[in-house]
Every structure is written in C-alpha cells, then in structure tokens.
Amino acid sequence: MKIGIIGGTGSIGEGMAMRFSQHHTVLIGSRDVQKAGECATECTRKLADRKIPCELSGCLNQEAIDRSEIIILAIPYAYVAPTLKDLRGLEGNIVVSPVNPMVKADYVYYAPPPEGSAGLAIRKLLPPAARLCVAFNTIAAGRWRDLESPLEYSVPVCSDDEEAKQQVMRLAESIPGIEALDGGPLRASSMVETLTPLLITLGMRNNRKDMGMRFISPQGGGNKG
Ligand SMILES: NC(=O)c1ccc[n+]([C@@H]2O[C@H](COP(=O)([O-])OP(=O)(O)OC[C@H]3O[C@@H](n4cnc5c(N)ncnc54)[C@H](OP(=O)(O)O)[C@@H]3O)[C@@H](O)[C@H]2O)c1
C-alpha cells in the first residue's frame, strides 16, 4: 500500500513512518518540504542502522495525498480544519484519523467538538467521497518509535465504510503484534478517542510512560506477526 502521512514529521507521524515503511511505501508529508526530507532521511538512517529495509521519502502534504492510497492525519485536532481547507484530492482516498481532542489539567480529559468526536467533525470537513476511518488513537508515539519492541496492542477501527475499515484493519495488522478490531461505525469513534486521555491520565498519576491497551478474551486472537 502507499501511505501518506500528513504532519508526518511529528511525534506519532515519524514513528508510524518508521513502522509502516518496513512493509509499505510511505510518504512523510509536511508544510515544509525540507523538514519532510530531513525527517525521512533520519528515519531511514535509524532503520538502516538496524539493517531494516524501508521505502520512505518526504514531501509536501499535498504531494503525499496525490501519491498515496491511504492518508493518515497525524496532526493535532486544532490544526485539522485549517490544514484540510488548503488540501485537495481526498475524494476516493481512505483517510485515517488517529486524532484525539483533549485538554491537559491535573488529569487529561476528552474535549470533543460539538459534533461528538474528532472523527465526526472531520467527516464534515472532508469531501463526501473520502473514506474516513478512525484508528491508531491509543498507541503512544514513543511506542511507535521504539523500534526494538513489538507493538502488542489492540487497534479499534471505526468507520461507516466497511470496505475501507477492512483495509485499515489489514494495514494495522501488517505491523507485527497489532490486533485490529472492528470498533463499529464512525459515531462510535468518541468511545475510542476518549481512551487516550484515560491512558495518559493513568500514566501521569501512576508514573507509567506510554501506556497502551490490549483487549483480551477467552477466545484469544491476535496477530503474532
Ligand atoms: N503523540 C502521541 O503519542 C499520539 C498518540 C495517539 C494519537 N495521537 C494523535 O495524533 C495526532 C498528532 O499528534 P502528535 O503528537 O504527533 O502531534 P505533533 O507532533 O504536535 O504535530 C504533528 C505535526 O503537525 C504539524 N503541525 C504543527 N503545527 C501545525 C499547524 N499550525 N498547521 C498544520 N500542521 C501543523 C507539524 O508538521 P509540519 O510542521 O511538518 O507541517 C507537526 O510535525 C494528534 O491528533 C494526536 O491526538 C498522538
């Protein structure tokens, strides 16, 4: 698959780029082509140091859209609307939102927009033909970037487009250790987005870094990679 990461130079974008580019072609998008190129070079170097081949390059956000099948919106919620306003060509593309709107106080709380979730708000900002999925909300950037450890986490995926959801679930499970789970329609996305403020609060208050989650059941399941 060809994956374009909008804001791919950021905390989660860089980590996703290093993980996905081992199995797919990845374009790190940015508002600044030089920053994107430097980030791609640095990610490639980190992988090469570990003798891991990758397909990775940097470009402007618009080019990442133009040359990819799956677009990941790896930018903070506050910048999503102004960023999407200036970008074109998302019709027919799968768009993935890992976006969690939240506020940090003495704990971190979920602060959804009036639509009910970032996913539902982003749906309104995208062209109707864009195929939106909410996914990858609960894996911390530090875990994506820690190339020595597998990502043994559950990834719930919410979408109103069942075919797009299946593709994103396959994308998630292309990373060894990740188990993708059908999280229901887009209107269920608030339940997924609110898990991350909980994980961060638990981490802050219990002195634990980069907390994540794996849902378990007696039937097991899971992706052993
Ligand atoms: N960090 C995590 O652990 C984590 C975990 C799960 C989900 N998420 C979600 O993933 C998303 C990205 O999080 P992050 O921590 O990676 O964010 P981040 O590092 O703060 O920023 C990501 C990128 O956003 C772009 N950006 C910054 N200011 C912008 C602006 N004014 N307009 C447009 N783009 C701007 C930058 O890319 P350029 O300067 O290159 O354009 C930046 O590298 C968030 O929605 C977050 O809720 C994060």
Side-chain angles (χ1 to χ4, degrees):
M1 289 183 222
K2 287 189 181 153
I3 300 159
I5 309 180
I6 307 301
T9 59
S11 305
I12 198 174
E14 189 186 79
M16 284 179 151
M18 286 193 287
R19 296 280 185 167
F20 284 126
S21 66
Q22 300 176 34
H23 313 280
H24 308 279
T25 303
V26 173
L27 289 167
I28 292 180
S30 172
R31 294 164 296 168
D32 174 342
V33 72
Q34 190 179 339
K35 184 177 173 187
E38 286 167 4
C39 182
T41 303
E42 182 59 13
C43 289
T44 304
R45 187 193 60 74
K46 284 183 190 156
L47 289 163
D49 285 351
R50 293 165 176 81
K51 305 204 179 336
I52 303 172
C54 67
E55 272 195 70
L56 185 56
S57 55
C59 60
L60 288 173
N61 285 330
Q62 184 61 59
E63 190 182 341
I65 293 174
D66 296 342
R67 292 173 50 202
S68 304
E69 294 145 356
I70 297 186
I71 317 298
I72 301 175
L73 294 176
I75 49 179
Y77 179 69
Y79 308 140
V80 171
T83 300
L84 288 178
K85 188 167 69 60
D86 291 336
L87 296 172
R88 297 286 170 268
L90 286 164
E91 295 82 359
N93 279 123
I94 293 177
V95 179
V96 178
S97 167
V99 176
N100 301 307
M102 55 195 184
V103 173
K104 189 169 178 186
D106 54 338
Y107 72 107
V108 177
Y109 59 89
Y110 184 48
E115 289 81 358
S117 70
L120 290 166
I122 292 168
R123 174 68 279 173
K124 285 170 81 175
L125 298 169
L126 290 170
R131 310 169 72 195
L132 178 63
C133 296
V134 166
F136 304 115
N137 301 69
T138 53
I139 302 178
R143 302 291 299 113
W144 284 101
R145 293 157 106 154
D146 176 8
L147 296 170
E148 317 312 334
S149 311
L151 291 176
E152 291 180 333
Y153 294 123
S154 303
V155 169
V157 183
C158 299
S159 181
D160 295 334
D161 181 325
E162 290 303 322
E163 215 268 329
K165 187 193 287 177
Q166 293 304 320
Q167 274 205 57
V168 172
M169 289 174 71
R170 281 197 293 278
L171 171 68
E173 293 204 340
S174 67
I175 306 283
I178 287 185
E179 180 185 28
L181 294 167
D182 184 337
L186 203 58
R187 61 185 185 282
S189 56
S190 60
M191 293 192 291
V192 175
E193 293 174 9
T194 200
L195 294 170
T196 296
L198 171 65
L199 288 168
I200 298 173
T201 298
L202 293 172
M204 275 166 58
R205 301 191 72 93
N206 296 277
N207 204 20
R208 305 264 294 270
K209 209 169 159 245
D210 290 345
M211 290 189 78
M213 56 176 58
R214 176 128 197 153
F215 298 105
I216 57 169
S217 67
Q219 290 81 20
N223 164 25
K224 301 295 171 215

